[in-house]
Amino acid sequence: MNKNEQQFFAPGRVNLIGEHLDYNGGLVLPAALSIGIKASYRKRNDNRVLLSSSAHTLQKEIHLQDAYFFQPENDWCNYPIGIIEHLKKEGRQLSGGEIHYESNLPEGSGLSSSAAIEVLTAYLLLSQTESDIDRVWLANFCREVENEFIGVQCGIMDQYAVALGKRDCAILLDCDTLEHLYIPIVLEDYKLVLLNTNKPRSLIHSKYNERKRECDEALRIIRATQPSVANLCAASPYYLDLLQNETIRKRAKHVITENLRVKESVKALRLNDLSTFGRLMNVSHQSLKEDYEVTGLELDTLAETAQQTRGCLGARMTGAGFGGCAIAIVHKTAIEEFKNKVGEKYLSVTGLNCNIFASEIGDGVRKI
Ligand code: ADP
Ligand code: MG
């Protein structure tokens, strides 16, 4: 490393349980991964920012005095450009520099590489003038960039996990109050295993918006007779009887029961009871498959094959669904056999190769 060069790292994230609850005001349990994006930064004495990434051929030169907007042809550079533009809007002093990104985090696989590049860029630029960056502020700021500049209506979970992740801990985040608590994850002889379907998530944006609308509708109907219900996650399972439409009832059933599963999971994890947590993961997957209907053949094949394979305590899809990744808790001595068995079955059912690898739970964004 050149002496004028600084290096920063931001992790990807998985959600251990509590899926599709962030926009329903519920509890989620994400964790930062040990894989992520690294940025090398070199300051310049002018007003230009040079952006490059080893994963992409497009490079871009930004002039800090000029205003930039989202442009499809700017492709991946829209993420750092969005961060720069919003930092300028906040009145932050920025100086020129060269930023080069390198990554071992698959892009577009539901491990939140978008939140990683946003949080990494903002942290790196702010670190030039600030020694104590407020990580909750950072998460909210980057979410705003993804919502407003990129135009993706994600919840707060991803940026929160990337900014506030802690080694060997999950973050219990209440998406209604935004309070968070660290929950130690003691895996001992087990490992967190990621299973990438390698399936492009084509349906994701339209179906995501459709689920949001269905949940809003469920809450509207429940509130007509139960006005004090703050959000869908806070509704009692008894209120499901108020929902006549079967689709709306199934969506609400997933949301209400999944929120209860997060609470059960936290209880189990506090007792180091991984078997109970594994069972809750399996039930969560089933609920996402049958009631929320966001899985599909690829995620179902991976999660269900994993669940039946020796040494696996539990498996479920993670992230928004329709492709992306699943996670499993697997005994470390069984991982090789697990990879072979699940990989073979997945190939025979879907015709696709999956990637299966263990990951540690790591810290949030930092200088390295
Ligand atoms: P996810 O967040 O699930 O990985 P998104 O579609 O939200 O998927 O974000 C992926 C996008 O983030 C990529 O298409 C790319 O534009 C950007 N990105 C992620 N990692 C990198 C990287 N290492 N270098 C450049 N751009 C990246
Ligand atoms: Mg993303």
Side-chain angles (χ1 to χ4, degrees), residues 25 46 55-56 59 69 81 114 159 196 207 220 226 249 283 289-290 306 335 340 345 348:
D46 59 18
H56 297 262
Q59 303 189 353
F69 303 93
I81 292 173
S114 60
Q159 288 79 6
N196 190 345
K207 289 289 177 189
R220 192 188 62 75
Q226 307 293 333
R249 190 170 58 245
V283 181
K289 175 186 178 183
E290 286 167 10
I335 290 181
N340 293 335
K345 176 81 182 196
S348 74

Side-chain angles (χ1 to χ4, degrees), residues 2-21:
N2 182 302
K3 76 174 174 18
N4 295 320
E5 191 175 286
Q6 303 169 34
Q7 293 197 324
F8 296 83
F9 175 83
R13 69 95 188 92
V14 286
N15 188 21
L16 297 179
I17 197 160
E19 216 61 78
H20 283 276
L21 298 192

Side-chain angles (χ1 to χ4, degrees), residues 13 36-38 52-56 58 74-80 100-118 120 146 150 152 154 158 201 204-205 324:
R13 69 95 188 92
I37 309 178
K38 190 175 86 176
S52 63
S53 166
S54 46
H56 297 262
L58 178 73
N74 284 345
D75 191 44
W76 71 272
C77 294
N78 281 303
Y79 292 93
H100 180 71
Y101 301 92
E102 267 175 81
S103 174
N104 58 3
L105 186 64
E107 295 181 19
S109 297
L111 301 179
S112 249
S113 69
S114 60
I117 194 169
E118 290 154 10
L120 178 63
E146 182 138 355
I150 305 296
V152 175
C154 60
D158 299 354
R201 297 174 301 167
I204 194 162
H205 293 303

Side-chain angles (χ1 to χ4, degrees), residues 13-202:
R13 69 95 188 92
V14 286
N15 188 21
L16 297 179
I17 197 160
E19 216 61 78
H20 283 276
L21 298 192
D22 56 352
Y23 55 86
N24 285 304
L27 300 170
V28 294
L29 195 66
L33 297 170
S34 51
I35 55 173
I37 309 178
K38 190 175 86 176
S40 310
Y41 178 74
R42 225 180 289 186
K43 220 178 186 124
R44 292 173 61 98
N45 293 321
D46 59 18
N47 248 349
R48 290 184 291 171
V49 178
L50 273 53
L51 301 168
S52 63
S53 166
S54 46
H56 297 262
T57 47
L58 178 73
Q59 303 189 353
K60 206 87 202 134
E61 183 176 298
I62 302 303
H63 296 253
L64 287 171
Q65 70 277 15
D66 296 341
Y68 292 84
F69 303 93
F70 179 90
Q71 284 189 309
E73 61 270 27
N74 284 345
D75 191 44
W76 71 272
C77 294
N78 281 303
Y79 292 93
I81 292 173
I83 294 292
I84 290 169
E85 285 305 309
H86 278 240
L87 284 174
K88 286 189 336 201
K89 218 169 73 181
E90 292 267 326
R92 306 285 177 143
Q93 276 306 313
L94 299 179
S95 55
E98 289 165 25
I99 312 177
H100 180 71
Y101 301 92
E102 267 175 81
S103 174
N104 58 3
L105 186 64
E107 295 181 19
S109 297
L111 301 179
S112 249
S113 69
S114 60
I117 194 169
E118 290 154 10
V119 172
L120 178 63
T121 308
Y123 187 86
L124 172 167
L125 291 170
L126 290 169
S127 292
Q128 304 310 311
T129 51
E130 285 177 38
S131 54
D132 197 14
I133 297 163
D134 179 338
R135 287 169 182 260
V136 172
W137 177 88
L138 181 68
N140 281 298
F141 170 80
C142 291
R143 181 214 185 172
E144 183 189 291
V145 171
E146 182 138 355
N147 289 171
E148 293 174 13
F149 193 92
I150 305 296
V152 175
Q153 295 311 310
C154 60
I156 184 65
M157 172 171 73
D158 299 354
Q159 288 79 6
Y160 224 89
V162 174
L164 285 111
K166 191 163 146 178
R167 196 183 160 161
D168 295 329
C169 286
I171 306 171
L172 176 63
L173 174 64
D174 182 325
C175 297
D176 187 32
T177 62
L178 291 187
E179 283 168 336
H180 74 273
L181 254 169
Y182 290 107
I183 308 293
I185 305 289
V186 185
L187 292 175
E188 286 175 345
D189 290 337
Y190 286 84
K191 289 268 179 201
L192 174 65
V193 172
L194 308 189
L195 306 95
N196 190 345
T197 59
N198 289 327
K199 186 205 169 204
R201 297 174 301 167
S202 50

